[in-house]
Amino acid sequence: MSLGLGVLGCGSVFAGPYRGMIARLGDRAHVAAVYDVDDRKRRGAAEHYGVDPDSAGPEAVIGSDEVDVVLVLTSMNEHGPLARAALEAGKHVLVEKPMATSLEEAAELLGLSERSEGLLVCAPHIVLSPTFRAIHAAVRGGEIGRLLNGRARYGWAGPDWGEWFYRPGGGSLFDLGVYNVTALCALFGPARRVTAMVGVAIPEREVNGEVVQVEADDNAQVLLDFGDGRFASVTTGFTMQRYRSPAIELYGSEGTIQLLGDDWAPEGWDMWRNADGAWRFHPESDPHWQWTEGLRHLVDCVERGRPTITRPEHALHALEIMLAAQACGRDGVAREIASGFPDPVYADDWLAAEHDRYAHDRRSHDGL
Amino acid sequence: MSLGLGVLGCGSVFAGPYRGMIARLGDRAHVAAVYDVDDRKRRGAAEHYGVDPDSAGPEAVIGSDEVDVVLVLTSMNEHGPLARAALEAGKHVLVEKPMATSLEEAAELLGLSERSEGLLVCAPHIVLSPTFRAIHAAVRGGEIGRLLNGRARYGWAGPDWGEWFYRPGGGSLFDLGVYNVTALCALFGPARRVTAMVGVAIPEREVNGEVVQVEADDNAQVLLDFGDGRFASVTTGFTMQRYRSPAIELYGSEGTIQLLGDDWAPEGWDMWRNADGAWRFHPESDPHWQWTEGLRHLVDCVERGRPTITRPEHALHALEIMLAAQACGRDGVAREIASGFPDPVYADDWLAAEHDRYAHDRRSHDGL
Amino acid sequence: MSLGLGVLGCGSVFAGPYRGMIARLGDRAHVAAVYDVDDRKRRGAAEHYGVDPDSAGPEAVIGSDEVDVVLVLTSMNEHGPLARAALEAGKHVLVEKPMATSLEEAAELLGLSERSEGLLVCAPHIVLSPTFRAIHAAVRGGEIGRLLNGRARYGWAGPDWGEWFYRPGGGSLFDLGVYNVTALCALFGPARRVTAMVGVAIPEREVNGEVVQVEADDNAQVLLDFGDGRFASVTTGFTMQRYRSPAIELYGSEGTIQLLGDDWAPEGWDMWRNADGAWRFHPESDPHWQWTEGLRHLVDCVERGRPTITRPEHALHALEIMLAAQACGRDGVAREIASGFPDPVYADDWLAAEHDRYAHDRRSHDGL
Amino acid sequence: MSLGLGVLGCGSVFAGPYRGMIARLGDRAHVAAVYDVDDRKRRGAAEHYGVDPDSAGPEAVIGSDEVDVVLVLTSMNEHGPLARAALEAGKHVLVEKPMATSLEEAAELLGLSERSEGLLVCAPHIVLSPTFRAIHAAVRGGEIGRLLNGRARYGWAGPDWGEWFYRPGGGSLFDLGVYNVTALCALFGPARRVTAMVGVAIPEREVNGEVVQVEADDNAQVLLDFGDGRFASVTTGFTMQRYRSPAIELYGSEGTIQLLGDDWAPEGWDMWRNADGAWRFHPESDPHWQWTEGLRHLVDCVERGRPTITRPEHALHALEIMLAAQACGRDGVAREIASGFPDPVYADDWLAAEHDRYAHDRRSHDGL
């Protein structure tokens, strides 16, 4: 049986990455309804999938009997309300980052997801990548001892489209920093305390050919305290033209692990163990892995009636950290973090399915 | 004329690195007097240089007519008082990091150095390395635009000797972090604000075969605010077994610069400029450069009657930052930084002398 | 108008890489007829494209009025005869490597292509990649002076399918070495002399689960003489499990250029110029570039009525070198090479089209 | 008891590298006599060591009762005769590369060394480096299976001093290629066959400010056949401005090993094993290792009355290969190689001594 997808928001996040993932899903899912406030985008998507171009708003998509899974890919402010409505309608939901813009809203979503029949999957989906799993397994297996210190970085020059990135509600911390925060916490466990410097380094930008005054942060440094004197830093911003450094560095009592590339687009990983006296570099095992894999995961879980590996609690925790970092950025005072989340558990049957997927992907990409 | 050196502290910092530098100086300087509270170390050094093994304390070394330059290489608490006494005696002074342990003491040294005949050189001397100078020149020359964000890291597993590293007054921030702080500020300019996480990640260590309770920080993350939304982070600790990442990363509005190796032992540097669309990797130009080059620089300046390129104000600024970071580590509240320092100016005649030194060093190392 | 493609050979080379390229061509081309001796493969391909599954042999495909372009993707021995028949029928032809298995056959093809209306494109298509073009431009522009010495390598553990790789007519030199030979000659110009060591290093292999006696070379080292004391080496084989070295190294009188990755799958390039005193690393500009781009190029040239940039003379030259290398491998005597070929000329309008293609590819891959 | 060294040839090879090694030997050896045809060089060396500046020719040095070990560091043509005279006089001999310029002369030296009381050590000494030993152990231990294919490279822009490099008897093959040939054979075992391209790529050079016509090879590619279809190539020349590639690549049936840096100045090594699915990079364990370590080794063996680990048969084998390569370079016909040599055996007591040396070196360099 093919799952019906309802797409809310047909902009750039949908047009390339999620559309590609939907194509990869083949018979397992189909687009049943789409909505976008922008007429042109809505009609384009509707035409592409042969669905009604005149759906009567997001409510209609959510309410449609044809729709099993709702994809919330709109601008940030609508994430929370739309995900909520979809869960209330008993649908499965994939919501892009951030799951919501306030902690209250996120907590409500979390509660709903526990009571609802629908599964809730929140981006980013990076803990699903084979490289991330390998690192998680190495860390939990004690390969580098106890994690003591860490660094992560993700940034670029920033978009020259999408004014909203630079408006209140946008910003580099929510758009980029969320990946590093999510990744570090998945490895260290929940953070207990946060401090940060957050600001605007480039006050004027050209966006779609027009000069824009930047109102949201485009530059940030965040510190995380994992208790027992164990820390990590996140460096992010629309202020980083290029880098040639590991995305994530984990300093353990017996060794070091580095994730190369970016955490959402890994290029292998490196491990030093004192006991080895050597670096082990693992070339990227799955170069075709996509940061939209969360959708395939959701489809998997719906098909099998299984809980998801990525947990909404994790997304809520990342949100609490980012909101706290913004607050620290204003007054310079560190914040305690109240929320927690369970450690990712990679179920054996999922790993087996992943293995099959990878073999298939490789075959279709390499033509073997 | 050969300058007379008076050495205070004949421990590990002296025994290898400074002894090697003194040998490189050849006829330009000689050890005229030595002191160490440890009888064995003092006698060993005295015998090596053929000087009196029974000098009557540091005062006698400082007071000796044979001594032109005093090297303060003792444990941290004595740095300030000994440097002060030496300056008051009209001597030139090289003081290892930190120049003092309180800001007041440092300010007094600074004042004294302005009134005294003697020159004051404070470690670390990293801004003197050819690689650092090349990076400083590239940044000041606008090669990567305005500096917006940065990272630096320096750490290792920590010493298994020298209990004092883990006692109050020791710690990784003062021992290691000082390099990164000094380097970043030399490039960004004075920091205006600081916050940090500072703690003990490994509560018990084996030192010289005995278990020690760790009382000073062995793990730290420091954030620096350079104004106008421009930040940098420093990651340091006796908690980092190995790394394979740049020592310093500078993110400018037009490109990126990375210093490879460690800031006190560079292994070349890398620059991305958007205008180039390529990374330029500059292999290390001076692999024999030593972090004790400050001594040669001091001898140079004394010989020529010239001011030093490294400035005590810079060392004081680093000290203020580290003391503030420790305070933030306790209460989580960011601190303003009051002090400043002048930008390093690499005088032409010094650059010419460096060029000669390098040609000579290379010849004697490579046997050409 | 959409060009009709006739596919001869529906095996692994077709199934993945060329099928993918045909998909990328969109409306510009469509599969009009297919043939494979293997029933299952032929029917699979026919079904995929909705064409007649029972075509009466390659002649029928070649003779079909619906077919404008013939793709010769069969086993090596048939390349020459099929390409010849297609050219004689006035069709455009893309032939996989090698264009033929004897020099006479290749010369005949070359002659035919000059008289025929059809264009002839011979794999490999590596000189079309943006990275290769950039290197070619740098070399021709004198960036590293006169080319004096070079190295290239391409190898892997070897296929565990396709017994024919290890039978007479197969071998690592024809399957793998051809890339390096083609690339080096495109940069140095025609080779004048060859010597080689060619042999069997692993006498027994498991292929499709059965033990096979290896009869064709699986290991080779080839030396090329470009005149005036200028040389290059090619290292190839089904004997190389992994590497972490440049694919191509070019040593010029004023610098060095390195192509990273493999020549058919570049991962950027590196240039040292003595005048710079630095390495310039150019990250891969077109990570989605495919080694089947020759097909798009052929379609381009047909549409515009333009000559092809890749020249059959170049393929013939590579063939002469490989046949000579095999002969040297038998008797240890170096061979003169008689053939030549014109330097690739990258026409401006093609470069412009490439630029558009790249922008489009990037957009559809990244979803921008 | 301190061994007396007699130095024949006080030019650039002596002045830096061997002088440094003699200093490292401390009390174990002293320079007892020196000779150089160049008055200035002879007097300079004599003065430095406080020995007679007017020694009556090499015979006097060889005949001196004070001399236990003769160092033959002259120009190439004299290596054979001087080493022979020294062995006949019952002295221990270290001879720089090549041990002789004809095979007959080399064979005579070899015979003499077997009958003489004196030990004979022939440069290059690269098989003594810790990194080389680690690779040799990994290969012999079967870590990457059976060696099937290999590459090595060593070259640079070439000297702008010492006209003799470019005169008959000089050349890049003897000066540079000898390292790669020696290293590859130490790992693969004796070569059975050779072919090569050898020539002059830069016909005119500036040497000591004057234009010189180049008469000896400055560019070479050599192929080695180790039997059973197993090959390796050597790329060398005064034609290579820079590189960024492994010095040695070893392709085995189960994995790959790479030596980084240059074989005479290793910078760690890398190993891929199929069974690991990862690269293991071993950072350089002994960055202060010198290519003149053969002298220390000779002193060790004399002191302990032990045979040397490096064998003159190995040097003779390398010489036969290079002479054959030059001949192939002239007529393009591959040559069989007749000589062999025993595999290096790293004795346990020597390994223990090395371990002590390394600990001491590190301490004196790092000042621990």
Side-chain angles (χ1 to χ4, degrees):
Chain A
M1 199 210 72
S2 172
L3 291 171
L5 307 178
V7 178
L8 301 178
C10 305
S12 64
V13 165
F14 172 66
Y18 277 102
R19 235 171 74 170
M21 182 51 64
I22 291 168
R24 288 196 195 184
L25 287 171
D27 295 340
R28 299 167 70 188
H30 63 280
V31 171
V34 301
Y35 185 76
D36 196 292
V37 284
D38 180 323
D39 245 39
R40 197 180 51 79
K41 289 180 184 168
R42 187 179 66 246
R43 288 184 183 283
E47 189 177 343
H48 184 82
Y49 290 108
V51 300
D52 179 10
D54 300 309
S55 64
E59 303 75 19
V61 170
I62 289 170
S64 163
D65 284 350
E66 312 276 292
V67 167
D68 305 293
V69 177
V70 175
L71 279 63
V72 182
L73 312 175
T74 60
S75 62
M76 292 184 185
N77 288 330
E78 301 163 59
H79 286 180
L82 291 175
R84 181 184 170 167
L87 284 173
E88 286 174 342
K91 307 291 185 183
H92 307 289
V93 177
L94 179 146
V95 58
E96 254 306 313
K97 64 191 167 59
M99 69 190 295
T101 51
S102 79
L103 215 48
E104 296 67 33
E105 205 176 20
E108 216 180 322
L109 276 186
L110 189 60
L112 252 175
S113 81
E114 282 158 8
R115 295 189 304 272
S116 158
E117 302 168 52
L119 297 172
L120 174 61
V121 162
C122 307
H125 315 299
I126 51 178
V127 308
L128 297 173
S129 85
T131 294
F132 192 90
R133 280 183 281 133
I135 290 175
H136 186 268
V139 169
R140 289 297 173 267
E143 297 277 358
I144 61 165
R146 206 162 60 97
L147 291 192
L148 305 176
N149 209 338
R151 300 203 297 174
R153 56 99 193 106
Y154 172 35
W156 67 299
D160 57 4
W161 72 92
E163 212 172 301
W164 68 268
F165 284 106
Y166 304 110
R167 295 280 180 232
S172 61
L173 198 54
F174 272 80
D175 190 49
L176 310 178
V178 61
Y179 288 97
N180 287 175
V181 167
T182 301
L184 286 169
C185 292
L187 295 162
F188 274 88
R192 313 241 177 109
R193 209 166 53 104
V194 171
T195 192
M197 290 183 174
V198 180
V200 177
I202 305 178
E204 276 189 3
R205 300 249 177 182
E206 208 177 296
V207 175
N208 294 330
E210 303 208 352
V211 172
V212 166
Q213 304 303 314
V214 176
E215 295 163 2
D217 62 271
D218 65 357
N219 207 27
Q221 293 270 8
V222 180
L223 299 187
L224 304 174
D225 181 348
F226 297 102
D228 302 321
R230 304 175 315 124
F231 312 126
S233 60
V234 167
T235 303
T236 194
F238 298 133
T239 50
M240 301 163 79
Q241 307 302 310
R242 279 280 167 138
Y243 35 63
R244 229 178 168 181
S245 58
I248 299 180
E249 294 158 68
L250 304 171
Y251 296 101
S253 55
E254 310 292 336
T256 300
I257 284 178
Q258 302 190 153
L259 184 149
L260 306 184
D262 274 307
D263 44 17
W264 56 272
E267 297 178 7
W269 63 290
D270 228 357
M271 177 166 61
W272 170 273
R273 296 174 66 237
N274 290 343
D276 289 342
W279 286 97
R280 292 198 206 185
F281 171 63
H282 306 77
E284 178 54 31
S285 62
D286 191 1
H288 302 298
W289 191 85
Q290 284 284 343
W291 55 267
T292 52
E293 280 290 336
L295 176 56
R296 175 166 7 216
H297 181 50
L298 178 53
V299 168
D300 264 358
C301 292
V302 171
E303 288 174 349
R304 297 159 187 252
R306 297 288 306 260
T308 58
I309 286 165
T310 59
R311 305 296 314 150
E313 295 92 329
H314 192 166
L316 181 145
H317 185 70
L319 179 65
E320 184 179 0
I321 288 171
M322 290 188 297
L323 291 168
Q326 289 185 324
C328 303
R330 287 187 293 271
D331 65 14
V333 180
R335 258 75 178 173
E336 306 284 322
I337 297 297
S339 64
F341 66 94
D343 196 37
V345 177
Y346 298 99
D348 285 347
D349 61 342
W350 180 74
L351 289 172
E354 270 291 282
H355 189 266
D356 291 352
R357 170 191 71 70
Y358 171 56
H360 177 270
D361 264 23
R362 197 171 65 93
R363 223 176 295 128
S364 56
H365 279 282
D366 300 348
L368 300 178
Chain B
M1 201 211 70
S2 172
L3 291 171
L5 308 178
V7 178
L8 301 179
C10 304
S12 65
V13 166
F14 172 65
Y18 278 102
R19 233 170 77 172
M21 183 51 64
I22 292 168
R24 288 196 195 184
L25 288 171
D27 296 340
R28 299 167 69 189
H30 64 279
V31 170
V34 302
Y35 184 76
D36 196 294
V37 286
D38 180 322
D39 245 39
R40 198 180 50 78
K41 288 179 183 167
R42 187 179 67 245
R43 288 181 186 283
E47 191 178 341
H48 184 81
Y49 289 108
V51 300
D52 179 10
D54 299 308
S55 64
E59 303 78 16
V61 170
I62 290 170
S64 164
D65 285 351
E66 313 276 293
V67 167
D68 304 295
V69 176
V70 174
L71 278 66
V72 182
L73 311 176
T74 60
S75 62
M76 292 184 184
N77 288 331
E78 301 163 59
H79 287 180
L82 290 175
R84 177 184 172 169
L87 284 173
E88 287 173 342
K91 307 292 184 180
H92 307 290
V93 177
L94 179 149
V95 56
E96 255 305 313
K97 65 191 163 64
M99 71 189 294
T101 51
S102 79
L103 216 47
E104 296 69 33
E105 206 177 20
E108 215 179 322
L109 275 187
L110 191 58
L112 252 175
S113 80
E114 282 158 7
R115 296 187 306 273
S116 158
E117 302 167 53
L119 297 172
L120 174 62
V121 162
C122 306
H125 314 301
I126 51 178
V127 306
L128 296 174
S129 85
T131 294
F132 193 89
R133 277 182 285 133
I135 291 176
H136 185 269
V139 169
R140 289 297 172 270
E143 297 277 359
I144 61 165
R146 206 163 58 98
L147 292 192
L148 304 176
N149 208 339
R151 300 203 298 174
R153 57 98 193 107
Y154 171 36
W156 66 299
D160 58 4
W161 72 91
E163 211 171 302
W164 69 269
F165 284 107
Y166 304 111
R167 297 284 179 226
S172 61
L173 198 54
F174 273 79
D175 192 48
L176 309 179
V178 61
Y179 289 96
N180 287 175
V181 168
T182 301
L184 286 169
C185 293
L187 294 162
F188 274 87
R192 312 240 177 113
R193 208 168 53 106
V194 171
T195 192
M197 291 184 174
V198 181
V200 177
I202 305 177
E204 275 187 3
R205 300 251 177 179
E206 209 177 295
V207 175
N208 294 329
E210 303 207 352
V211 171
V212 166
Q213 304 304 314
V214 175
E215 295 163 1
D217 62 272
D218 66 355
N219 208 27
Q221 293 269 10
V222 180
L223 299 187
L224 304 175
D225 180 347
F226 297 103
D228 301 321
R230 305 174 315 124
F231 312 126
S233 61
V234 168
T235 303
T236 194
F238 298 133
T239 50
M240 301 164 80
Q241 308 301 309
R242 279 279 168 141
Y243 35 63
R244 230 178 166 182
S245 58
I248 299 178
E249 293 158 68
L250 304 171
Y251 296 102
S253 55
E254 308 294 336
T256 300
I257 284 178
Q258 302 189 154
L259 183 148
L260 307 183
D262 275 306
D263 44 17
W264 55 274
E267 297 179 5
W269 63 289
D270 230 356
M271 176 166 62
W272 170 272
R273 296 174 67 237
N274 290 343
D276 289 342
W279 285 97
R280 292 199 205 184
F281 171 62
H282 306 76
E284 177 55 30
S285 61
D286 191 1
H288 302 298
W289 191 84
Q290 286 285 338
W291 53 266
T292 52
E293 280 288 337
L295 175 55
R296 183 180 344 230
H297 181 49
L298 178 53
V299 168
D300 264 359
C301 292
V302 170
E303 287 174 350
R304 299 160 185 253
R306 297 289 305 261
T308 59
I309 286 166
T310 59
R311 303 299 312 151
E313 294 91 332
H314 192 168
L316 182 147
H317 185 71
L319 180 65
E320 184 179 1
I321 287 172
M322 291 189 296
L323 292 168
Q326 289 184 325
C328 303
R330 286 187 296 270
D331 65 15
V333 180
R335 258 77 179 172
E336 306 283 324
I337 298 297
S339 63
F341 66 94
D343 196 38
V345 176
Y346 298 100
D348 286 348
D349 60 342
W350 180 75
L351 288 172
E354 271 292 282
H355 189 266
D356 291 351
R357 170 192 70 71
Y358 171 56
H360 178 270
D361 265 23
R362 197 171 66 92
R363 223 174 296 128
S364 57
H365 279 282
D366 300 348
L368 300 178
Chain C
M1 199 211 69
S2 173
L3 291 171
L5 307 178
V7 178
L8 301 179
C10 304
S12 65
V13 166
F14 172 66
Y18 278 102
R19 236 172 73 172
M21 182 51 64
I22 291 168
R24 289 196 194 182
L25 288 171
D27 296 340
R28 299 167 70 189
H30 63 280
V31 171
V34 301
Y35 185 75
D36 196 294
V37 286
D38 180 325
D39 246 40
R40 199 180 49 78
K41 288 180 184 167
R42 187 180 65 245
R43 289 183 184 282
E47 190 177 340
H48 184 81
Y49 289 108
V51 300
D52 179 10
D54 299 309
S55 64
E59 302 75 19
V61 171
I62 288 170
S64 163
D65 285 351
E66 312 277 290
V67 168
D68 304 294
V69 177
V70 176
L71 278 63
V72 183
L73 312 176
T74 60
S75 61
M76 291 183 186
N77 288 329
E78 301 163 59
H79 287 180
L82 292 175
R84 180 185 169 166
L87 284 172
E88 285 173 342
K91 307 293 184 181
H92 306 290
V93 177
L94 178 148
V95 56
E96 254 305 313
K97 65 189 165 62
M99 69 189 296
T101 52
S102 78
L103 215 48
E104 295 68 33
E105 208 177 19
E108 216 180 323
L109 277 186
L110 190 58
L112 253 176
S113 80
E114 281 158 8
R115 296 188 303 272
S116 158
E117 302 168 52
L119 296 173
L120 173 62
V121 162
C122 307
H125 315 299
I126 52 179
V127 308
L128 296 173
S129 84
T131 294
F132 193 90
R133 278 184 284 133
I135 291 175
H136 186 269
V139 169
R140 289 295 173 270
E143 297 277 357
I144 60 165
R146 206 163 57 98
L147 291 192
L148 304 176
N149 209 339
R151 299 203 299 174
R153 58 97 194 109
Y154 170 36
W156 67 299
D160 57 3
W161 73 92
E163 210 171 303
W164 69 269
F165 285 107
Y166 304 110
R167 296 283 180 228
S172 61
L173 198 53
F174 272 80
D175 191 49
L176 310 178
V178 62
Y179 289 97
N180 287 175
V181 167
T182 302
L184 286 170
C185 292
L187 295 162
F188 275 86
R192 312 237 179 115
R193 209 166 54 104
V194 171
T195 192
M197 290 184 174
V198 180
V200 177
I202 305 178
E204 278 188 3
R205 301 248 177 181
E206 210 178 294
V207 175
N208 294 329
E210 304 206 353
V211 172
V212 165
Q213 304 304 314
V214 176
E215 295 163 1
D217 62 271
D218 66 355
N219 207 29
Q221 293 270 8
V222 180
L223 299 187
L224 305 174
D225 180 348
F226 297 103
D228 302 322
R230 305 175 314 124
F231 312 126
S233 60
V234 168
T235 302
T236 194
F238 298 133
T239 49
M240 301 164 79
Q241 308 301 308
R242 279 280 168 138
Y243 36 62
R244 229 178 168 180
S245 59
I248 298 179
E249 294 158 66
L250 304 171
Y251 297 101
S253 55
E254 309 294 337
T256 300
I257 284 178
Q258 303 189 154
L259 183 149
L260 306 183
D262 276 306
D263 42 18
W264 54 273
E267 296 177 7
W269 62 290
D270 228 357
M271 177 166 62
W272 170 273
R273 294 174 68 238
N274 290 343
D276 289 343
W279 285 98
R280 293 199 205 183
F281 171 62
H282 306 77
E284 178 53 31
S285 62
D286 191 1
H288 302 298
W289 190 84
Q290 285 285 339
W291 54 267
T292 52
E293 280 290 337
L295 176 56
R296 176 167 4 217
H297 181 50
L298 178 53
V299 168
D300 263 359
C301 292
V302 171
E303 288 174 349
R304 298 159 187 252
R306 297 289 304 259
T308 58
I309 286 166
T310 59
R311 304 298 312 152
E313 295 91 329
H314 192 167
L316 182 146
H317 185 71
L319 179 64
E320 183 180 2
I321 288 171
M322 291 190 295
L323 291 169
Q326 289 185 325
C328 303
R330 287 188 294 270
D331 64 15
V333 180
R335 258 77 178 171
E336 307 284 322
I337 298 297
S339 64
F341 66 95
D343 197 38
V345 177
Y346 299 99
D348 285 349
D349 61 342
W350 180 74
L351 289 172
E354 270 292 282
H355 188 266
D356 290 352
R357 170 192 70 72
Y358 171 56
H360 178 269
D361 265 22
R362 197 170 67 92
R363 222 174 295 125
S364 57
H365 279 280
D366 301 348
L368 300 179
Chain D
M1 202 211 70
S2 172
L3 290 172
L5 308 178
V7 178
L8 301 179
C10 303
S12 65
V13 166
F14 172 66
Y18 278 102
R19 235 171 74 172
M21 182 52 63
I22 291 168
R24 288 196 194 181
L25 287 172
D27 297 339
R28 298 167 71 189
H30 64 278
V31 170
V34 302
Y35 184 76
D36 197 294
V37 285
D38 180 322
D39 245 40
R40 199 182 50 78
K41 288 180 184 167
R42 186 179 68 244
R43 288 182 186 284
E47 191 178 341
H48 184 81
Y49 289 109
V51 298
D52 179 10
D54 300 309
S55 64
E59 303 76 17
V61 170
I62 289 170
S64 163
D65 286 351
E66 313 276 291
V67 168
D68 303 296
V69 176
V70 174
L71 279 65
V72 182
L73 311 175
T74 60
S75 62
M76 291 184 185
N77 288 330
E78 301 163 58
H79 287 180
L82 291 175
R84 179 184 172 168
L87 283 173
E88 285 174 342
K91 307 294 185 181
H92 307 290
V93 176
L94 179 149
V95 56
E96 254 305 314
K97 64 190 165 62
M99 71 189 294
T101 52
S102 79
L103 215 49
E104 296 68 34
E105 208 176 20
E108 214 179 322
L109 275 187
L110 190 59
L112 252 176
S113 81
E114 282 158 8
R115 295 188 307 272
S116 157
E117 301 167 52
L119 297 172
L120 174 62
V121 162
C122 307
H125 314 300
I126 51 179
V127 307
L128 296 173
S129 85
T131 293
F132 193 89
R133 278 183 283 133
I135 290 176
H136 186 269
V139 169
R140 290 294 173 270
E143 297 277 358
I144 61 166
R146 204 162 61 96
L147 292 192
L148 304 176
N149 209 339
R151 298 204 300 174
R153 58 97 194 108
Y154 171 35
W156 66 299
D160 57 4
W161 73 91
E163 211 172 300
W164 68 269
F165 285 107
Y166 304 111
R167 295 285 179 227
S172 61
L173 198 54
F174 272 80
D175 192 48
L176 310 178
V178 62
Y179 289 97
N180 287 176
V181 168
T182 301
L184 286 170
C185 292
L187 295 162
F188 275 87
R192 312 240 178 114
R193 209 167 55 103
V194 171
T195 193
M197 289 183 175
V198 180
V200 176
I202 305 178
E204 276 189 3
R205 300 250 177 181
E206 207 177 295
V207 175
N208 295 329
E210 305 207 350
V211 172
V212 166
Q213 304 303 314
V214 176
E215 296 163 2
D217 62 271
D218 66 355
N219 207 28
Q221 292 270 9
V222 180
L223 299 187
L224 304 174
D225 180 347
F226 298 103
D228 301 322
R230 305 174 316 124
F231 311 126
S233 61
V234 167
T235 303
T236 194
F238 298 133
T239 49
M240 301 163 78
Q241 308 302 309
R242 279 280 168 138
Y243 35 63
R244 231 178 166 181
S245 59
I248 299 179
E249 293 159 67
L250 304 171
Y251 296 101
S253 54
E254 309 293 337
T256 300
I257 285 178
Q258 302 189 153
L259 184 149
L260 307 183
D262 276 306
D263 43 17
W264 56 273
E267 295 178 7
W269 62 289
D270 229 357
M271 177 166 63
W272 170 274
R273 295 173 67 238
N274 289 343
D276 289 343
W279 285 98
R280 292 198 205 183
F281 171 63
H282 306 77
E284 177 54 31
S285 61
D286 191 2
H288 302 299
W289 190 85
Q290 284 285 339
W291 53 268
T292 52
E293 280 289 336
L295 176 56
R296 182 177 347 227
H297 180 50
L298 178 53
V299 167
D300 264 359
C301 291
V302 171
E303 287 174 349
R304 298 160 186 251
R306 297 289 305 262
T308 58
I309 286 167
T310 59
R311 303 299 311 152
E313 294 91 331
H314 193 167
L316 182 146
H317 185 71
L319 179 64
E320 185 179 0
I321 288 171
M322 291 188 296
L323 290 169
Q326 289 185 324
C328 303
R330 285 187 295 268
D331 64 16
V333 180
R335 259 77 179 170
E336 306 284 321
I337 298 296
S339 63
F341 65 93
D343 197 39
V345 177
Y346 298 98
D348 286 349
D349 61 342
W350 180 73
L351 289 172
E354 271 292 283
H355 189 267
D356 291 353
R357 169 190 71 71
Y358 171 55
H360 177 270
D361 265 23
R362 197 171 66 94
R363 221 175 297 127
S364 56
H365 278 281
D366 301 347
L368 300 178

